[in-house]
């Protein structure tokens, strides 16, 4: 990673769910940083802990969830020490979130204009006229045509791509330093997806924001990310700069994800698969959590939980035998 000033720093994040059968752990000892102006992709299959990690940062976890963290700091502010009211003031201003399906986030009973101007006015002491002017300007920036007319529309009158642009406008309304995007392009077709990704990169530079981009799509990661964090079964299993990680994935899980991704010049190639499924939170395997699905698993993998090893500066892997499977890191 370039020598960027740290914006978000998470240390030893642990997240539990209360169930009828007791507490089960969804995220275990997760630590990472995001630099100012950096786009970090958080990657993994459904159920790996990506979304609950992001909701923990935002303070939006469900009621049956317990977040236990050594530290979550944003711009030097310790979020774990804040009250719900203090966090509420921070959300939408210093940090904002874009969800996968805009219809679940946009209120169908209110116009786009009302929802956008209210977001602006909550955090700024300005009148309705100025808020409307800002809202129109934001819609222009996210490349929505006829912004004055769109302000009068209700969410269900817009296409999926247009709704997602509105969500980006709302998220950027108060110039947040951190934007968390949780699978924001999954429900969109490929052409619209490419437009949204380009737009997010463009706005990130314009607003000097940092982005935590959550996805399972490595094609998207290769296109937009500076750095990649791979999660599996609630743990970080690999982390590195995007070029380094794509050139030489070190963890068997990352290798499996890569082999199951379509490559531009190899459309006729048979895609690889990862056998099995992500383990149930209530019955995690002993030892390495990936060993039941790992083609290289050995006896010690079944008994010993691997640490997150430092391979080189800013390159980490959680595997007992990474240096034999992935080879020495080049450069």
């Amino acid at each position: 990673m370039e020598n960027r000033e740290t914006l978000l720093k998470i240390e030893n994040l642990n997240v539990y769910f209360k169930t009828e059968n007791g507490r089960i752990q969804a995220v275990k000892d997760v630590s990472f940083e995001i630099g100012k102006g950096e786009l970090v992709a958080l990657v993994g299959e459904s159920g790996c802990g990506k979304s609950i990690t992001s909701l923990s940062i935002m303070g939006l976890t469900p009621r049956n969830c317990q977040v236990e963290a050594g530290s979550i700091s944003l711009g030097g502010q310790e979020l774990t020490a804040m009250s719900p009211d203090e966090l509420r003031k921070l959300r939408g201003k210093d940090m904002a979130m874009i969800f996968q399906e805009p219809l679940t986030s946009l209120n169908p009973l209110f116009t786009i204009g009302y929802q956008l101007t209210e977001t602006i006015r909550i955090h700024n002491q300005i009148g309705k006229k100025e808020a409307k002017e800002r809202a129109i300007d934001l819609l222009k920036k996210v490349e929505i045509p006829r912004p004055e007319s769109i302000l009068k529309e209700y969410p269900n009158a817009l296409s999926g791509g247009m709704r997602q642009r509105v969500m980006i406008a709302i998220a950027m309304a108060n110039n947040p330093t951190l934007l968390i995007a949780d699978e924001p392009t999954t429900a969109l077709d490929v052409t619209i997806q490419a437009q949204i990704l380009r737009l997010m990169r463009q706005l990130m530079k314009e607003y000097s924001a940092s982005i935590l981009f959550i996805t399972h799509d490595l094609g998207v990661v290769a296109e937009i990310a500076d750095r990649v964090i791979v999660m599996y079964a609630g743990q970080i299993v690999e982390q590195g700069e995007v070029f380094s990680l794509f050139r030489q994935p070190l963890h068997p899980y990352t290798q499996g994800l890569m082999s199951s991704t379509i490559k531009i010049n190899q459309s006729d190639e048979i895609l690889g698969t990862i056998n099995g499924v992500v383990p149930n939170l209530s019955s995690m395997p002993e030892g390495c959590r990936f060993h039941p699905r790992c083609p290289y698993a050995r006896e010690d993998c079944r008994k010993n939980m691997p640490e997150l090893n430092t391979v080189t500066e800013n390159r980490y892997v959680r595997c007992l035998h990474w240096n034999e499977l992935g080879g020495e890191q080049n450069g």
Side-chain angles (χ1 to χ4, degrees):
M1 184 177 74
E2 300 173 18
N3 292 322
R4 290 185 170 97
E5 186 180 346
T6 298
L7 174 70
L8 177 73
K9 186 173 184 178
I10 297 174
E11 294 180 297
N12 301 320
L13 175 67
N14 291 278
V15 183
Y16 299 85
F17 283 102
K18 298 177 188 174
T19 71
E20 294 178 354
N21 300 318
R23 289 205 319 169
I24 57 174
Q25 190 164 14
V27 174
K28 181 176 173 59
D29 297 328
V30 163
S31 300
F32 63 87
E33 298 180 6
I34 298 178
K36 290 186 176 180
E38 185 180 27
L39 195 155
V40 175
L42 188 57
V43 179
E45 296 167 280
S46 297
C48 281
K50 309 185 302 299
S51 292
I52 198 65
T53 295
S54 67
L55 292 173
S56 299
I57 297 168
M58 293 290 294
L60 292 173
T61 52
R63 289 185 178 181
N64 68 330
C65 188
Q66 289 181 322
V67 178
E68 298 179 6
S71 174
I72 302 176
S73 67
L74 178 68
Q77 301 178 87
E78 183 56 53
L79 305 189
T80 59
M82 289 186 177
S83 67
D85 283 344
E86 289 172 325
L87 273 175
R88 198 174 297 115
K89 290 176 183 177
L90 210 64
R91 284 196 298 268
K93 185 173 184 290
D94 291 355
M95 57 182 181
M97 192 162 184
I98 303 170
F99 294 93
Q100 179 175 339
E101 178 42 67
L103 272 183
T104 63
S105 304
L106 294 170
N107 192 321
L109 302 179
F110 294 101
T111 63
I112 298 300
Y114 177 84
Q115 296 182 65
L116 188 46
T117 55
E118 279 301 291
T119 301
I120 295 167
R121 294 187 70 199
I122 284 171
H123 298 285
N124 300 275
Q125 299 299 318
I126 61 173
K128 289 183 179 181
K129 183 180 178 182
E130 187 178 347
K132 182 180 178 181
E133 289 172 357
R134 282 203 201 178
I136 291 171
D137 185 53
L138 280 163
L139 292 183
K140 287 179 180 177
K141 285 185 176 179
V142 297
E143 301 174 0
I144 286 182
R146 303 178 297 105
E148 293 87 351
S149 300
I150 294 297
L151 287 180
K152 301 173 187 176
E153 297 283 4
Y154 289 86
N156 61 1
L158 306 182
S159 67
M162 290 278 274
R163 286 194 293 264
Q164 198 59 283
R165 289 171 191 268
V166 169
M167 282 303 302
I168 293 172
I170 290 173
M172 302 305 296
N174 297 295
N175 196 10
T177 55
L178 176 68
L179 180 64
I180 298 176
D182 190 357
E183 304 269 11
T185 59
T186 299
L188 306 176
D189 67 49
V190 176
T191 303
I192 303 299
Q193 184 181 92
Q195 293 173 4
I196 295 295
L197 293 175
R198 176 185 56 78
L199 177 63
M200 289 184 68
R201 260 296 188 185
Q202 180 181 314
L203 290 173
M204 176 184 166
K205 291 179 181 178
E206 184 175 340
Y207 286 86
S208 301
S210 302
I211 297 179
L212 177 61
F213 194 97
I214 298 165
T215 184
H216 63 274
D217 188 337
L218 287 175
V220 168
V221 172
E223 186 174 341
I224 66 167
D226 299 309
R227 201 155 44 87
V228 187
I229 299 169
V230 182
M231 281 191 78
Y232 181 77
Q235 294 181 314
I236 292 175
V237 295
E238 187 163 0
Q239 184 178 161
E241 294 178 358
V242 66
F243 177 77
S244 172
L245 189 139
F246 271 70
R247 181 185 63 184
Q248 189 176 31
L250 300 177
H251 195 282
Y253 179 60
T254 312
Q255 293 171 5
L257 290 176
M258 297 280 283
S259 69
S260 61
T261 301
I262 295 175
K263 299 172 183 63
I264 293 174
N265 298 322
Q266 298 173 329
S267 58
D268 58 344
E269 182 180 319
I270 297 174
L271 294 179
T273 58
I274 304 174
N275 293 327
V277 295
V278 178
N280 190 292
L281 293 177
S282 60
S283 56
M284 287 290 178
E286 290 186 24
C288 174
R289 293 184 170 183
F290 187 61
H291 88 253
R293 306 176 69 188
C294 181
Y296 312 110
R298 305 176 189 177
E299 191 59 33
D300 57 346
C301 302
R302 298 178 178 90
K303 295 179 179 178
N304 303 317
M305 169 74 76
E307 298 292 326
L308 194 62
N309 301 290
T310 302
V311 180
T312 60
E313 186 179 9
N314 302 313
R315 189 71 196 273
Y316 308 93
V317 62
R318 188 184 299 276
C319 178
L320 295 173
H321 303 288
W322 69 265
N323 55 340
E324 300 167 44
L325 305 177
E328 294 279 330
Q329 182 74 359
N330 297 321

